[in-house]
Every structure is written in C-alpha cells, then in structure tokens.
Amino acid sequence: MLNQQTPLDLMFQALADPSRRTMVERLSRGPASVSELAKPLTMSLPAVVQHLQVLEASGLVRSEKVGRVRTCHIDWAALQTAEDWIMDRRKNWELRLDRLGDFLAEQKKG
C-alpha cells in the first residue's frame, strides 16, 4: 500500500517541478505543440518530452499526435481534482481560524 501513489500524489509531484509548472501555465492558455512548450525552457527537447511524460502520467496533461506534431492540452477535470483538495483544506483552516478569532475575542472581553 505504501508504494501505491494516488492520482492526487502524482499531480502534486508533477507540479513540484518549476519547468513542469511553466508548461502547465502555458497550456492553461490553450493547446501547444511540444516544440512550443520547449521554447521558453533552457533544456533539450528530449528533456522536455520527459517532463511532459510526467505530466501525462499524472493525468494533468493529454497529448495527441497528428503527423509529426504532438499537441498537448490540460485535462481540466484532473486539475479540478487538485483544486478541490486544496479548497477543502482551505475551508478547514478558515473554520479553525474563525473559531480561534472568536475565542480570542471572548478572552479580551473577559
């Protein structure tokens, strides 16, 4: 069980790398070819492909090859999964901080 990674684990691992976050940021504006994604990065094309493979394995990015061009795009449903997880944590912390604020306000009064 410890060696099994959930889809959420794979997404956060994929997003842990700044180059992959740059690719996801670019893809958030629309589909792009691999060579387009490689332009702003200071790495070889094979390295870019390896990063894209990590993004695809995480489910965040999908690609399709037409002729000699591989076009990538974001899988918005997968990204929504990560966003939902973050929002659940945020709601929990906001509730805790609200309760702490109420407690501290009561302590000031008393």
Side-chain angles (χ1 to χ4, degrees):
M1 186 74 172
L2 291 175
N3 291 331
Q4 295 178 346
Q5 294 180 309
T6 68
L8 191 60
D9 293 336
L10 293 172
M11 281 184 234
F12 283 117
Q13 285 177 354
L15 292 171
D17 182 84
S19 297
R20 291 193 288 264
R21 287 194 307 271
T22 298
M23 291 179 200
V24 170
E25 175 62 32
R26 168 54 192 87
L27 291 172
S28 71
R29 297 190 305 267
S33 67
V34 173
S35 58
E36 221 179 309
L37 292 171
K39 281 182 187 175
L41 303 171
T42 56
M43 64 178 73
S44 67
L45 196 56
V48 170
V49 170
Q50 284 181 330
H51 281 290
L52 283 169
Q53 288 171 343
V54 171
L55 288 168
E56 285 190 81
S58 75
L60 288 168
V61 171
R62 302 277 182 238
S63 71
E64 59 187 357
K65 190 171 183 178
V66 178
R68 295 177 59 178
V69 178
R70 179 167 296 281
T71 302
C72 303
H73 63 274
I74 287 183
D75 183 335
W76 292 105
L79 197 58
Q80 185 66 47
T81 301
E83 184 178 350
D84 291 346
W85 185 87
I86 292 169
M87 290 305 295
D88 286 345
R89 305 294 79 63
R90 181 179 180 174
K91 287 176 190 174
N92 187 17
W93 277 105
E94 285 175 350
L95 179 63
R96 288 178 180 196
L97 290 172
D98 288 345
R99 288 193 335 237
L100 176 61
D102 293 344
F103 174 77
L104 293 174
E106 286 297 317
Q107 292 298 310
K108 263 189 175 178
K109 289 179 187 177

